[in-house]
Amino acid sequence: MLPRFVPATVPCRLAGTTKCFHSKVPGLLSFRDANASVNALVHIAPPERVDGRLDLRVAVKDNICTSGMPTTCSSAMLLGFTSPFDATVVELLQAEGAQLIGKTNCDEFGMGSLNTYSFHNPVINPFQAAGSTVQWTDRERRSAGGSSGGSAASVAAGLKESALATDTGGSIRLPASYCGVVGLKPSYGLVSRWGVVSYADSLDCVGVMARSVDTVKKLFDVISSYDPKDPTAAHPRARKKAVKASHASWLRAPGESLKGLRIGIPQEYFPSELDASTLKPLRRVLEYLKSRDATLIPVSLPTTPYALSAYYVISSAEASSNMARYDGVQYGYFSPTPPDLDKTKAANVYAHSRSSGFGNEVQKRILLGTYALSADAFDNYFLQAQRVRNLVRADFDRVFAVPNVLSPTRRKNKAAEEGIHVLLHPSAIRTAPPLESRDDAQESDESVLDAYVQDVLNVPASLAGLPAMSVPAGLGEDGWPVGVSIVGQWGSDELVMEVGRECERADLAVD
Amino acid sequence: MLWLAHARKLATLPPALRHARCYSARVKDDSRWPGWDVVVGIEVHAQIKSRKKLFSDAITYSGLANVSVSPFDAAFPGTLPRLNPKCVELGVRTAVALNANVQRRSAFDRKHYFYADLPAGYQITQHYAPFATGGQLQLEINDTCVRIKQIQLEQDTGKSTFDPRNQESSIDLNRAGVGLMEIVSEPDMRSPEEAGQYVRALQALLRAVGSSDGNMEQGSLRCDVNVSVNRRGEPLGTRCEIKNLNSVKFIMVAITSEVRRQIALLENGGSVLQETRGFNEDKAETYSSRSKEDAPDYRYMPDPNLPPLLIGETYVSQIRETMPELPDATRARLLGLGLSRRDADVLMDVDSGREVKDDGVLAPGPVAYFDEVSRGRDPKVVVNWITHELLGQLAFREKAFSNNPIDAKQMGELIDLVQSGKITGTAGKTLLRHMLDNCSAEMPAELASELSLIADDGAALRKWCTQAIKALTQEADVVRGGNVNVVNKILGHVMKASKGRADAKAARAMLLKLLKGEERDRPKGEKPGDS
């Protein structure tokens, strides 16, 4: 059936790959068996040969609409649902000849940090630490991260070169870090959201995951184009202006060092929850960048501690609104009502389907968001969160040398001379956490809280709509992958990738 | 006339004063409920007459169920709204017509509730920042001006119909996502009649600017009415909202019944509870549908997909300049041309029934027709021909004005023929009827000669008269004998012979001249022209 994908061994000779664990994936393991062990792809497309400019096989996160494959968002609510149209990103890739190989597992509607809240069951991180002696299929069960765990894991396991994913508050960067791959969340508005199932519209971004920055860039260049079908799409004028501003601020001549590049290290991104053992790889990257003539500058983004709460209020509020459409009437899951139900109230009928169709985490966020939007709480929660969001944006604008072309009050950046070009910080507070056993139905409050805290490093860039990329930085003390994140001013995506490429080299250089 | 003068005065007043003028309390006892004041405010939902829906490319269509539904209208996952600029344009036209302030920056919000005809679980509306605020509408009765609080753009819902026999609801999403203007009045109306007047005036205005067809029977204009009563001199009472009234008559009946209900409650020592009420058309009564405690929390949220709506002053003034004429201005202009109030009203009444086409395009009505025909002609003569002859004949044939086969050029030539005496008035009417019956594209001058309707040049008249006198010698003698009235009998003969081409007045004069000329010396004579 799938001769092109077998065997699933992935050689390390691909330029720019991180230190590979793929040799552990037994050469004889079929594509399907490998996938069964990782649970990354929830739908596999029949193979097809397409000739085009992009010789790439791409997997698509299951919350991105494809007319040829189901789009379930890993939810019972959309089980068996096939969209009548393709997302713009899918159309763009197909037009360039990329081959869609399937849909990837994710947290339900993108809500989660560990890819455990999935109707299709958790994704198992394909990584196996170097010292392990057991069979790959019996490897230590760790999370692939979420919500785009399936996209990250399928890339890491070599099931295909790249994947489309979405990032609302770290959903690309965190799994990239856990799985040891590259993940880019572009500037908000650069990539069309038409056909991307909304979780929180003001934060949702479509991005790319791949084994190398080059591959990420190749895909990004294809999908980053203005789409009139997306009302939040950045206008071509703004894009050009941002690129110009970024180039004016710092542009490397080909083959040159990083001379003149100022990299900010935000002090707030090293919280007490951060596992110290992940710092060693980060330091190595910083050393390398310094050796390439970049200047490292400690900076402060004082609103960071409030960002997580603001993020959860805003994302849950928007989620509660966006999830309202899943009522089992027009499409999707409908739970037959018991005969004694009072059907004169539509709400009763809906509640029945929604209570059994949505998973716990989604229900939790719907309730949280519904409360945040209620008349009594709106000011204290939703509006307050919007204020924090503005402060977070202002924080970034204050430290960047590159001006924010979207800011209505664009003052001549005072920091232009001493401002920084990109920020660099750990992608996660730890390496991939272990998955609790499947029988462990009840999660402890603590583990839930931990999952939220994981996002603490990633949500500020989401709130500000900034480009952010996680690049493998080596292994932590436990032998599992660690990622570093590069964050740039809005529209500085190229610069972020440029610095990402350097970090990638740092990872190779120390090997 | 008084009304017109008032309107002109209003227009020159600064807005604040205008409002003060509007707000002046009109204390007048109503014999139906002496000692009580009635306060009414109305929310009108008018469907925007755009070709496409407010946020999707689906065509606005209300025929066969569920055929004009885009994935966005059905709230499919992954769909996003895209604002239709035509809807904004028609909204701005309405705002300008209502003298409202178009906001430079407005925004869209989501209003959440669960209902089967609302697929997304929320309606996109303008709760926090409507696109226009503070306008007014002048009513003709009681010298009343109703202030407009705000106008907002929003989505219509789908249509659900319940079949009680099968206990089944059917949903039609053709209407889901069609653009609506919600026009909210201040509580400035004081009687059911004023409320009815307000809705009629608003309807005419929307139609005149082409922003809505304002059709209440088809549901493209729907009203929610807020009613409260208070004893004269006491503070305002608690209001009740009567939802979904779909005719002007029902609005007035519902308000009357609601006023009586509230007064009865208060007179019996009870109190009015704030609630939402429905209207039973058969019983002509309102009934409680939802109390204040049950009022849902709509959890309004700024729509994260839709950027703020920015409307510049240049855009507004551009629309102001290119806007169709408003009813007030049209009436004033027609009266200024010397038309009688009645003629102007007839023209405008028929005009308000003209078709409002998609995207604010208006089918030409009798006013535009009149304007074209009267260019270079006497407006009073033209309006006579249009209102008395053309509209009358069309009505007789049960034809709408839109089916009028006579274009303005033909009509103009016909009037010219009559005015210049080339054909008689009678022949003109005959010609008009002929053209209506045959939908002829020929010009009236050609037709007139084809139909031998061209009036005589004098020689023919003399010939017809001479022949008539010869044919009716007896009658001729009687006339000669002094009984002038008998000339009418001879005149009838002339008219018959001429097939209407002869001008009756000229023929009569000619007959008298011929008959009396024979006895020129006789001093006896009749006053001319007393037929």
Side-chain angles (χ1 to χ4, degrees):
Chain A
M1 270 297 277
L2 300 156
R4 290 185 65 177
F5 307 122
V6 179
T9 51
V10 176
C12 295
R13 61 186 135 82
L14 278 169
T17 20
T18 183
K19 281 176 301 301
C20 272
F21 43 85
H22 310 292
S23 51
K24 290 277 184 180
V25 181
L28 291 173
L29 209 57
S30 76
F31 177 87
R32 278 181 192 279
D33 288 344
N35 185 47
S37 173
V38 182
N39 196 27
L41 291 161
V42 295
H43 178 90
I44 298 168
E48 50 168 332
R49 276 178 199 286
V50 191
D51 293 319
R53 194 173 69 80
L54 275 192
D55 181 24
L56 273 181
R57 285 169 296 280
V58 184
V60 179
K61 189 175 175 181
D62 207 22
N63 63 350
I64 298 175
C65 292
T66 44
S67 57
M69 296 183 274
T71 301
T72 72
C73 300
S74 291
S75 177
M77 210 73 212
L78 284 177
L79 210 59
F81 173 79
T82 300
S83 175
F85 56 89
D86 282 313
T88 299
V89 283
V90 169
E91 275 181 353
L92 288 170
L93 283 176
Q94 283 185 316
E96 290 294 328
Q99 191 190 347
L100 307 186
I101 65 140
K103 301 299 285 279
T104 61
N105 201 343
C106 59
D107 279 303
E108 188 176 0
F109 288 103
M111 299 179 210
S113 307
L114 295 170
N115 213 139
T116 48
Y117 306 123
S118 165
F119 182 79
H120 307 291
N121 296 319
V123 177
I124 318 294
N125 198 319
F127 188 83
Q128 188 172 24
S132 176
T133 50
V134 297
Q135 288 273 310
W136 178 73
T137 43
D138 298 327
R139 69 196 179 281
E140 185 188 354
R141 287 166 52 86
R142 289 213 193 182
S143 165
S147 64
S148 311
S151 293
S154 58
V155 169
L159 298 175
K160 33 77 199 192
E161 293 101 325
S162 57
L164 285 182
T166 62
D167 187 315
T168 306
S171 284
I172 286 179
R173 293 159 281 161
L174 194 65
S177 178
Y178 287 172
C179 293
V181 298
V182 181
L184 168 72
K185 177 203 96 75
S187 301
Y188 181 84
L190 289 193
V191 179
S192 169
R193 289 190 298 116
W194 173 263
V196 178
V197 181
S198 295
Y199 154 22
D201 300 281
S202 74
L203 296 155
D204 294 344
C205 288
V206 181
V208 185
M209 308 186 86
R211 277 195 299 273
S212 73
V213 176
D214 280 339
T215 309
V216 165
K217 180 160 168 36
K218 203 151 79 174
L219 262 78
F220 171 76
D221 287 345
V222 173
I223 62 172
S224 163
S225 74
Y226 175 71
D227 178 12
K229 283 196 275 198
D230 177 358
T232 56
H235 199 272
R237 258 200 321 270
R239 292 167 198 251
K240 265 191 214 135
K241 222 160 143 189
V243 169
K244 226 170 118 187
S246 174
H247 286 175
S249 184
W250 185 79
L251 186 62
R252 174 161 65 166
E256 289 289 303
S257 70
L258 300 177
K259 199 165 181 344
L261 180 75
R262 290 187 295 276
I263 300 174
I265 313 297
Q267 61 182 58
E268 290 82 5
Y269 284 58
F270 297 84
S272 58
E273 290 94 345
L274 185 72
D275 185 347
S277 74
T278 62
L279 286 176
K280 223 165 113 188
L282 178 76
R283 272 197 205 100
R284 274 205 310 254
V285 171
L286 293 178
E287 288 303 320
Y288 176 79
L289 292 171
K290 240 159 71 181
S291 76
R292 299 277 292 144
D293 296 338
T295 314
L296 304 183
I297 300 168
V299 295
S300 172
L301 298 165
T303 321
T304 308
Y306 308 104
L308 192 68
S309 333
Y311 167 79
Y312 272 102
V313 170
I314 292 169
S315 64
S316 300
E318 291 186 24
S320 78
S321 172
N322 286 326
M323 295 300 117
R325 67 189 58 206
Y326 305 107
D327 54 23
V329 176
Q330 259 57 267
Y331 49 80
Y333 174 79
F334 176 78
S335 168
T337 48
D340 54 333
L341 189 83
D342 172 16
K343 280 190 248 181
T344 57
K345 287 210 167 80
N348 287 344
V349 181
Y350 290 4
H352 201 70
S353 288
R354 288 165 65 81
S355 298
S356 50
F358 285 132
N360 288 339
E361 181 65 17
V362 172
Q363 292 195 25
K364 196 187 291 174
R365 295 197 196 192
I366 289 175
L367 290 175
L368 176 60
T370 301
Y371 174 71
L373 290 177
S374 64
D376 291 341
F378 187 73
D379 282 8
N380 280 337
Y381 286 81
F382 189 78
L383 289 186
Q384 187 71 356
Q386 297 294 358
R387 280 179 215 119
V388 171
R389 186 175 191 173
N390 285 334
L391 293 175
V392 170
R393 280 199 192 103
D395 261 10
F396 283 114
D397 286 349
R398 212 165 15 242
V399 297
F400 279 123
V402 189
N404 185 348
V405 299
L406 297 184
S407 169
T409 55
R410 213 159 76 244
R411 59 207 172 274
K412 173 83 185 112
N413 205 329
K414 233 175 93 187
E417 288 75 37
E418 67 267 31
I420 51 141
H421 300 108
V422 289
L423 287 159
L424 199 138
H425 62 77
S427 297
I429 58 169
R430 54 164 299 168
T431 55
L435 283 173
E436 288 170 33
S437 78
R438 255 173 244 187
D439 314 320
D440 224 357
Q442 277 298 337
E443 295 163 309
S444 64
D445 285 349
E446 203 180 333
S447 76
V448 171
L449 202 61
D450 272 355
Y452 285 154
V453 175
Q454 285 287 8
D455 285 339
V456 77
L457 305 178
N458 297 317
V459 297
S462 293
L463 287 171
L466 305 181
M469 179 183 230
S470 179
V471 179
L475 303 176
E477 267 168 31
D478 60 358
W480 282 70
V482 168
V484 293
S485 280
I486 304 111
V487 178
Q489 180 56 283
W490 188 89
S492 292
D493 301 58
E494 262 183 59
L495 177 60
V496 165
M497 285 187 272
E498 180 88 41
V499 178
R501 212 176 275 117
E502 287 291 336
C503 298
E504 210 172 37
R505 288 195 191 113
D507 189 25
L508 292 175
V510 293
D511 205 17
Chain B
M1 281 313 202
L2 212 154
W3 169 85
L4 186 77
H6 174 66
R8 245 191 241 119
K9 202 171 75 197
L10 260 187
T12 58
L13 286 175
L17 279 179
R18 246 185 277 160
H19 285 186
R21 179 72 188 76
C22 285
Y23 198 55
S24 65
R26 301 181 307 277
V27 182
K28 209 178 102 191
D29 223 21
D30 192 317
S31 61
R32 287 168 293 185
W33 33 76
W36 290 91
D37 282 343
V38 170
V39 178
V40 178
I42 300 184
E43 280 170 34
V44 169
H45 292 89
Q47 257 180 18
I48 300 173
K49 189 77 181 177
S50 55
R51 201 170 79 84
K52 292 178 176 178
K53 295 184 180 180
L54 182 56
F55 294 117
S56 79
D57 274 346
I59 305 293
T60 54
Y61 163 84
S62 56
L64 210 60
N66 291 315
V67 297
S68 194
V69 185
S70 76
F72 173 80
D73 305 328
F76 267 57
T79 56
L80 295 168
R82 184 153 62 120
L83 181 61
N84 177 355
K86 265 289 164 198
C87 293
V88 177
E89 186 194 322
L90 295 178
V92 171
R93 272 197 209 176
T94 307
V96 168
L98 286 168
N99 245 316
N101 305 307
V102 176
Q103 303 296 304
R104 293 180 72 90
R105 188 180 203 277
S106 61
F108 292 98
D109 309 299
R110 294 179 180 180
K111 173 184 180 176
H112 298 90
Y113 62 92
F114 285 114
Y115 206 73
D117 59 18
L118 187 71
Y122 58 81
Q123 174 197 33
I124 303 178
T125 179
Q126 294 195 299
H127 177 72
Y128 292 115
F131 82 94
T133 57
Q136 71 269 330
L137 184 63
Q138 181 72 39
L139 307 189
E140 287 192 49
I141 57 167
N142 299 348
D143 195 12
T144 307
C145 171
V146 176
R147 291 169 302 159
I148 306 296
K149 189 174 172 221
Q150 63 183 54
I151 314 171
Q152 60 204 52
L153 293 172
E154 60 185 33
Q155 293 174 300
D156 206 343
T157 61
K159 207 187 264 176
S160 50
T161 36
F162 184 68
D163 178 2
R165 213 176 303 157
N166 305 330
Q167 292 284 299
E168 256 178 19
S169 283
S170 304
I171 312 288
D172 175 9
L173 292 183
N174 283 344
R175 205 179 70 178
V178 169
L180 286 181
M181 291 175 283
E182 181 175 323
I183 303 167
V184 185
S185 87
E186 295 284 1
D188 285 352
M189 286 148 279
R190 295 290 174 271
S191 68
E193 291 70 29
E194 280 186 17
Q197 249 312 304
Y198 168 75
V199 173
R200 281 211 186 92
L202 191 57
Q203 218 173 0
L205 182 120
L206 296 174
R207 299 183 55 85
V209 299
S211 58
S212 174
D213 63 22
N215 191 325
M216 292 191 86
E217 294 81 57
Q218 282 165 25
S220 47
L221 192 139
R222 311 188 286 273
C223 296
D224 300 341
V225 179
N226 281 289
V227 182
S228 76
V229 300
N230 58 275
R231 286 194 175 84
R232 176 101 4 100
E234 285 181 12
L236 295 182
T238 306
R239 69 191 160 87
C240 288
E241 184 180 35
I242 314 165
K243 284 259 186 210
N244 266 326
L245 295 166
N246 55 14
S247 85
V248 172
K249 190 185 123 205
F250 287 145
I251 288 173
M252 297 198 286
V253 174
I255 295 173
T256 308
S257 129
E258 179 61 15
V259 165
R260 294 222 155 95
R261 186 189 72 88
Q262 293 187 10
I263 289 176
L265 265 175
L266 294 169
E267 281 180 340
N268 290 326
S271 59
V272 176
L273 294 176
Q274 187 178 335
E275 60 184 354
T276 304
R277 301 181 68 83
F279 178 65
N280 184 324
E281 294 167 8
D282 299 327
K283 291 188 188 165
E285 278 175 7
T286 66
Y287 58 89
S288 176
S289 63
R290 195 170 64 202
S291 75
K292 193 189 174 192
E293 286 70 36
D294 296 336
D297 184 336
Y298 290 121
R299 289 165 285 126
Y300 288 101
M301 177 182 92
D303 191 297
N305 285 323
L306 290 159
L309 174 57
L310 306 174
I311 305 176
E313 266 166 39
T314 347
Y315 178 81
V316 176
S317 50
Q318 207 178 327
I319 285 181
R320 199 187 296 276
E321 278 154 27
T322 55
M323 224 171 55
E325 195 175 43
L326 297 180
D328 288 0
T330 307
R331 188 174 281 112
R333 187 169 59 78
L334 293 179
L335 295 178
L337 289 172
L339 266 55
S340 71
R341 179 69 197 248
R342 214 187 54 136
D343 282 342
D345 280 349
V346 170
L347 276 186
M348 291 189 61
D349 264 6
V350 181
D351 207 60
S352 73
R354 73 195 148 147
E355 191 191 357
V356 180
K357 294 182 182 169
D358 284 340
D359 290 344
V361 176
L362 288 159
V367 172
Y369 189 75
F370 162 80
D371 287 338
E372 207 181 330
V373 178
S374 65
R375 204 168 297 139
R377 299 190 177 91
D378 181 351
K380 281 185 260 185
V381 173
V382 171
V383 82
N384 262 326
W385 274 98
I386 293 177
T387 55
H388 298 151
E389 299 308 321
L390 178 63
L391 293 179
Q393 287 298 328
L394 283 171
F396 177 71
R397 287 166 171 74
E398 293 183 341
K399 268 187 173 175
F401 182 79
S402 53
N403 294 324
N404 169 27
I406 303 175
D407 67 27
K409 231 173 149 183
Q410 289 174 306
M411 192 69 194
E413 189 172 302
L414 186 139
I415 293 171
D416 290 345
L417 287 175
V418 178
Q419 286 303 100
S420 64
K422 288 206 175 98
I423 62 173
T424 63
T426 319
K429 289 171 195 171
T430 310
L431 190 54
L432 182 85
R433 285 194 288 272
H434 174 86
M435 289 166 80
L436 287 175
D437 288 337
N438 298 292
C439 295
S440 173
E442 261 183 285
M443 288 308 284
E446 294 162 43
L447 275 173
S449 59
E450 267 172 46
L451 300 171
S452 313
L453 291 172
I454 301 291
D456 79 292
D457 49 6
L461 186 64
R462 180 174 282 271
K463 200 179 91 195
W464 286 321
C465 289
T466 320
Q467 280 171 354
I469 290 168
K470 271 186 192 158
L472 303 167
T473 43
Q474 264 188 336
E475 285 80 356
D477 283 341
V478 176
V479 175
R480 285 191 195 102
N483 192 346
V484 174
N485 283 337
V486 178
V487 82
N488 289 339
K489 197 160 179 199
I490 311 173
L491 180 60
H493 194 275
V494 172
M495 296 313 286
K496 209 169 160 189
S498 74
K499 291 180 186 152
R501 274 170 291 172
D503 181 75
K505 224 169 168 180
R508 192 173 194 276
M510 174 69 80
L511 284 172
L512 287 174
K513 200 177 109 190
L514 289 174
L515 291 166
K516 290 181 177 179
E518 292 160 7
E519 295 164 59
R520 208 170 290 154
D521 306 333
R522 280 163 73 162
K524 208 176 168 197
E526 297 287 329
K527 282 175 208 155
D530 64 343
S531 54

